[in-house]
Amino acid sequence: MIELANVSIRAGDFQLSDVSFSIETGRYAVLMGRTGRGKTTVLEAICGLRKVTSGQILVHGTDVTCWPPADREIGYVPQDLALFPTLTVLQHLQFALRLRGQSKADIQNRTDELAEVLGIQHLLKRSIVGLSGGERQRVALGRALSFHPSVLLLDEPLSALDESTREEMQELLREIKRTANVTTLHVTHSTEEADALADCRIELDNGKFQML
Amino acid sequence: MPDASKTHSPSNIRLRRSDLPFFLVMGGISSSFILLIILLLAADLMFTSFAEFKAALLKPEIQAAFRLTILSCSIAAILSIWVATPLGYLLSRYRFHGRMLLDTIVDIPIVLPPLVLGLSLLILFHLPIGGWELEAWLRDSVGFPVTYRWPAVVLAQFSVACAFAVRTMRVTFDQIDPRAEEVARTLGCTRGQAFMQIALPQAWRGMIAATTIAWARALGEFGPILVFAGATRMRTEVLSTTVFLELSIGQLNAAVAVSLLMVALAVVVLLLLRVLGTGLTS
């Protein structure tokens, strides 16, 4: 469960005040709103990359407002993906598991499983240079899901993809929603995406959040 | 019917978009600088002969200076990259109070006249503070005297070389997208781990460039070394000092020979590091 209680965030001249909403455990929420309204800022605040000026962020009832990003156990797929240029696809999937000191066998099992779900077995040895948009998206998704986070944040994951790749990715996200039981917050401005995926919708309009 | 003479069909447009003037002007201005450097080197080459060159290189003083130069430049460059990498990263990634001031302080060795830098080093090591003196303490308690010895050469070279290395490392980290490090932190990295595992592996090319620049700067250093380390033959003499010493005793041929040796040394080191750099990153 993700809960934001009266959260205020300042980012330069941009200010969001009194953001409050909650998403039940295991639900797939879609956050909608026009560009430049602060959707990404909210995601960054939840995963700890942006300081909040007031209010509380709770993950499964625990107040994580002042926690460093590393301790929050939140999977984050930013809009620009921010893949690691010096690592291979496999190393992306292993990255968070290695940091957690998991055994070689456990890491192998998890990466095999992820690669199969994401359909990227044939890419594992490749560097991220030269991957297509859809492939990069899968790698970023795999990296975020690798450590079994309780919360997954997706920032416009389908906006940069072509029609057919987008449908494949939607199908993949539905599959993950069905199997991973991860509370998801998906940011988009496309109603079609919301129709296809959302359990619940949150609308951001004029700086106010509304649960629909 | 429209008037055919007023339409812009390809046949009646006068060809006036030649790129020739562009290349002539740009190439002309650029080549004047390249030509100056080539002429300088050519004049040096014509001034000396191979026999004189060989004779100069066989002098034990010059051989000692050559060894000290290679050693001191390498130590100064390695120290510089050790300091410049964290400092460049901090300056690039964090906005904090006094960052502008810090940025300016780093640049001071670049703008300071070399002799002034040497003098400042000398004063720093010999300024009595309530009966205590840095040089005396290093000499008597630590057993590591600095002034007028080889460590002074390295320190004088490091003071300037490091400033250039910091500039290079800062630009390097500016060009690396900080987003990947942020995402690494959501995956479980501390800031330190994100730096070591994500930022540093991307900074290889910049680190090699910074080392190269630091090494080259150290090779060219003269003023601070003369003041802070002196020009004692066989002890604190580096190649730049040799040129000065040979000139001062009227040995113009030896001075030119050593100058050419420095040019060759610089070219070899620059090429070596560049090849190493492309090899590592490709």
Side-chain angles (χ1 to χ4, degrees):
Chain A
M1 179 165 166
I2 314 171
E3 197 176 345
L4 273 72
N6 305 315
V7 168
S8 298
I9 314 159
R10 185 198 295 275
D13 292 336
F14 183 77
Q15 166 99 38
L16 270 174
S17 340
D18 267 341
V19 178
S20 295
F21 62 80
S22 67
I23 304 160
E24 296 294 325
T25 303
R27 302 275 273 177
Y28 196 112
V30 170
L31 172 60
M32 301 189 62
R34 302 241 303 272
T35 325
R37 293 285 166 84
K39 302 189 296 288
T40 299
T41 311
V42 171
L43 287 197
E44 288 182 345
I46 296 174
C47 65
L49 293 176
R50 199 172 282 283
K51 280 209 173 72
V52 302
T53 45
S54 66
Q56 283 184 313
I57 298 168
L58 296 107
V59 176
H60 298 301
T62 309
D63 184 354
V64 299
T65 319
C66 300
W67 287 24
D71 294 337
R72 297 193 184 197
E73 299 284 314
I74 292 176
Y76 175 44
V77 180
Q79 191 175 4
D80 57 5
L81 303 181
L83 296 177
F84 306 142
T86 53
L87 301 190
T88 64
V89 171
L90 179 63
Q91 286 169 327
H92 276 79
L93 301 183
Q94 295 170 333
F95 191 81
L97 305 174
R98 287 208 170 136
L99 286 169
R100 283 162 181 74
Q102 293 198 3
S103 72
K104 268 192 178 161
D106 287 348
I107 293 177
Q108 172 94 46
N109 287 340
R110 180 62 182 148
T111 50
D112 284 352
E113 181 188 3
L114 275 169
E116 197 190 326
V117 174
L118 297 164
I120 52 174
Q121 292 109 317
H122 59 294
L123 301 173
L124 290 178
K125 289 209 173 105
R126 276 182 55 182
S127 121
I128 56 150
V129 182
L131 293 186
S132 72
E135 288 166 345
R136 296 170 73 89
Q137 196 78 50
R138 283 160 196 265
V139 175
L141 194 58
R143 178 181 64 177
L145 283 169
S146 60
F147 57 102
H148 293 292
S150 56
V151 170
L152 180 64
L153 306 175
L154 306 171
D155 196 354
E156 307 215 10
L158 310 176
S159 60
L161 305 176
D162 63 65
E163 193 84 21
S164 64
T165 320
R166 192 179 307 162
E167 275 163 25
E168 279 172 35
M169 278 301 291
Q170 270 188 15
E171 192 49 53
L172 178 63
L173 288 174
R174 261 199 296 272
E175 173 74 14
I176 287 165
K177 172 181 158 183
R178 202 171 53 77
T179 52
N181 191 37
V182 54
T183 312
T184 307
L185 180 56
H186 172 141
V187 161
T188 183
H189 50 247
S190 144
T191 21
E192 180 235 344
E193 254 172 70
D195 290 343
L197 293 158
D199 293 330
C200 60
R201 294 185 198 199
I202 304 160
E203 187 105 16
L204 170 58
D205 200 19
N206 292 326
K208 288 283 157 226
F209 285 77
Q210 254 183 328
M211 297 284 292
L212 297 177
Chain B
M1 277 285 283
D3 186 354
S5 64
K6 281 184 184 167
T7 61
H8 292 268
S9 69
S11 59
N12 59 16
I13 289 180
R14 188 164 55 90
L15 270 181
R16 62 194 156 171
R17 295 192 174 179
S18 167
D19 287 330
L20 192 64
F22 167 79
F23 285 115
L24 277 179
V25 171
M26 301 294 265
I29 294 172
S30 313
S31 60
S32 61
F33 179 60
I34 311 273
L35 197 67
L36 175 68
I37 300 173
I38 291 173
L39 284 176
L40 285 175
L41 294 180
D44 281 350
L45 277 172
M46 282 163 71
F47 186 85
T48 184
S49 69
F50 185 71
E52 282 169 333
F53 188 69
K54 205 173 147 193
L57 295 195
L58 285 174
K59 279 193 185 177
E61 295 91 350
I62 291 178
Q63 285 182 354
F66 181 78
R67 277 194 295 274
L68 182 61
T69 303
I70 299 268
L71 260 175
S72 64
C73 287
S74 302
I75 298 173
I78 291 166
L79 286 177
S80 295
I81 195 67
W82 265 97
V83 174
T85 306
L87 184 51
Y89 187 73
L90 292 179
L91 286 173
S92 166
R93 285 292 184 267
Y94 296 103
R95 302 283 168 269
F96 50 86
H97 288 293
R99 196 179 66 104
M100 280 272 282
L101 183 70
L102 209 66
D103 223 6
T104 315
I105 290 176
V106 170
D107 276 343
I108 287 178
I110 296 176
V111 292
L112 214 60
L115 281 174
V116 177
L117 183 70
L119 190 64
S120 307
L121 280 168
L122 200 61
I123 291 171
L124 170 71
F125 275 72
H126 292 274
L127 183 71
I129 308 164
W132 183 85
E133 189 194 293
L134 183 57
E135 178 67 32
W137 177 75
L138 283 171
R139 187 184 57 226
D140 303 332
S141 304
V142 187
F144 190 74
V146 173
T147 315
Y148 300 125
R149 285 161 197 273
W150 71 264
V153 176
V154 174
L155 190 58
Q157 290 174 334
F158 167 78
S159 308
V160 179
C162 189
F164 283 91
V166 173
R167 283 283 130 243
T168 312
M169 285 319 294
R170 198 203 148 155
V171 173
T172 300
F173 287 119
D174 279 346
Q175 286 168 351
I176 294 174
D177 189 359
R179 294 287 292 165
E181 291 146 59
E182 291 185 356
V183 172
R185 287 171 58 216
T186 71
L187 292 168
C189 279
T190 60
R191 283 185 193 274
Q193 286 171 319
F195 169 69
M196 292 298 288
Q197 298 186 25
I198 303 300
L200 211 51
Q202 291 182 70
W204 258 115
R205 202 186 283 264
M207 287 174 79
I208 294 208
T211 312
T212 314
I213 286 168
W215 202 95
R217 283 305 314 179
L219 178 72
E221 214 49 65
F222 169 64
I225 297 177
L226 194 66
V227 179
F228 187 45
T232 322
R233 296 223 98 156
M234 309 294 285
R235 281 184 59 195
T236 60
E237 181 187 354
V238 284
L239 289 177
S240 55
T241 333
T242 308
V243 177
F244 171 75
L245 288 177
E246 295 291 345
L247 260 182
S248 65
I249 52 170
Q251 293 285 335
L252 198 54
N253 284 334
V256 173
V258 174
S259 304
L260 282 171
L261 179 67
M262 287 177 81
V263 171
L265 199 60
V267 169
V268 167
V269 169
L270 294 188
L271 280 178
L272 204 70
L273 284 170
R274 199 152 289 177
V275 168
L276 189 70
T278 44
L280 271 173
T281 44
S282 66

